[in-house]
Amino acid sequence: DGGITQSPKYLFRKEGQNVTLSCEQNLNHDAMYWYRQDPGQGLRLIYYSQIVNDFQKGDIAEGYSVSREKKESFPLTVTSAQKNPTAFYLCASTPTGTSSYEQYFGPGTRLTVT
Amino acid sequence: GQNIDQPTEMTATEGAIVQINCTYQTSGFNGLFWYQQHAGEAPTFLSYNVLDGLEEKGRFSSFLSRSKGYSYLLLKELQMKDSASYLCAVAGGYQKVTFGTGTKLQVIP
């Protein structure tokens, strides 16, 4: 089955540690996205990538880093510089070569930093 | 930049009709989405409007007026399972999609 996977579903870390969230898709989509969602809030764009080896900052990129070495993978690193890292993180991708921008979402990773 | 506004919360009765509004101000526009999101889950796609007018899909319909920067999602014959957050999102340039803060809908018996 095609889709987007994010692992793990729940992640716990100590303050001051970097942590990497994985996102893998087998939909052959070119564009991939990372969003952050806080309780009762909408989705805020962290980073997005339209093609391999290229990515752009979203609205809240500070304290985060990404890489896009393969089409299928778009890992997000939450660094110790991120002031409030506890949140629900969602990865998404967009079909290639169509006029639709519909985003296909992974199940999300809930990160708790204490 | 993008600015998207939608009501924070709404309550409606089972079996009724509810309209959730969304207004937007954007520097680029390639379409408007509506997503449904249940608590703790990922959003699921409901509709995508590119041109002005009403698009109907079962119990859900979505309307767009580009000149007014306005959209609404209409939910008919409300069911308890429709209790969720409804997210309005605008596709701008460079495949960037910006989401509103969402409207939490509570359906009551």
Side-chain angles (χ1 to χ4, degrees), chain A residues 38-108:
Chain A
D38 293 284
Q41 300 294 312
L43 279 63
R44 291 186 290 168
L45 182 64
I46 304 172
Y47 268 99
Y48 64 109
S49 168
Q50 294 174 276
I51 198 167
V52 174
N53 292 322
D54 187 43
F55 48 82
Q56 289 80 38
K57 291 182 179 179
D59 301 315
I60 54 164
E62 186 176 346
Y64 299 98
S65 66
V66 292
S67 63
R68 188 82 188 279
E69 296 175 3
K70 298 186 298 182
K71 188 175 186 176
E72 306 80 32
S73 179
F74 190 41
L76 173 75
T77 297
V78 185
T79 75
S80 56
Q82 168 52 232
K83 299 274 188 282
N84 298 296
T86 295
F88 186 44
Y89 290 88
L90 286 158
C91 179
S93 67
T94 298
T96 305
T98 73
S99 59
S100 170
Y101 291 77
E102 178 186 344
Q103 300 203 308
Y104 292 68
F105 284 89

Side-chain angles (χ1 to χ4, degrees), chain A residues 9 31 33 35 37 40-43 45 48 50 59 88 90 94-95 99-103 105-107 110, chain B residues 30 33 35 37 39-45 48 50 87 91-102:
Chain A
K9 192 170 177 64
Y33 306 76
Y35 293 93
Q37 188 174 36
Q41 300 294 312
L43 279 63
L45 182 64
Y48 64 109
Q50 294 174 276
D59 301 315
F88 186 44
L90 286 158
T94 298
S99 59
S100 170
Y101 291 77
E102 178 186 344
Q103 300 203 308
F105 284 89
R110 191 168 297 280
Chain B
N30 286 301
F33 295 94
Y35 284 85
Q37 186 180 28
E41 298 181 7
T44 55
F45 172 81
Y48 177 53
V50 178
L87 307 176
Y94 304 105
Q95 292 187 289
K96 183 179 178 184
V97 178
T98 302
F99 284 78
T101 54

Side-chain angles (χ1 to χ4, degrees), chain B residues 47-100:
Chain B
S47 67
Y48 177 53
N49 292 67
V50 178
L51 301 176
D52 290 351
L54 185 69
E55 300 228 354
E56 299 183 72
K57 196 183 292 185
R59 293 190 299 115
F60 292 8
S61 302
S62 57
F63 172 84
L64 174 67
S65 169
R66 288 172 296 170
S67 62
K68 295 182 179 177
Y70 168 69
S71 173
Y72 67 73
L73 179 70
L74 195 70
L75 290 75
K76 302 176 186 175
E77 300 168 15
L78 279 173
Q79 302 175 9
M80 298 301 291
K81 67 178 182 179
D82 296 330
S83 292
S85 288
Y86 291 85
L87 307 176
C88 174
V90 173
Y94 304 105
Q95 292 187 289
K96 183 179 178 184
V97 178
T98 302
F99 284 78

Side-chain angles (χ1 to χ4, degrees), chain A residues 21-33:
Chain A
L21 282 59
S22 78
C23 177
E24 304 280 331
Q25 54 101 357
N26 59 3
L27 300 168
N28 198 34
H29 291 173
D30 274 329
M32 296 186 73
Y33 306 76

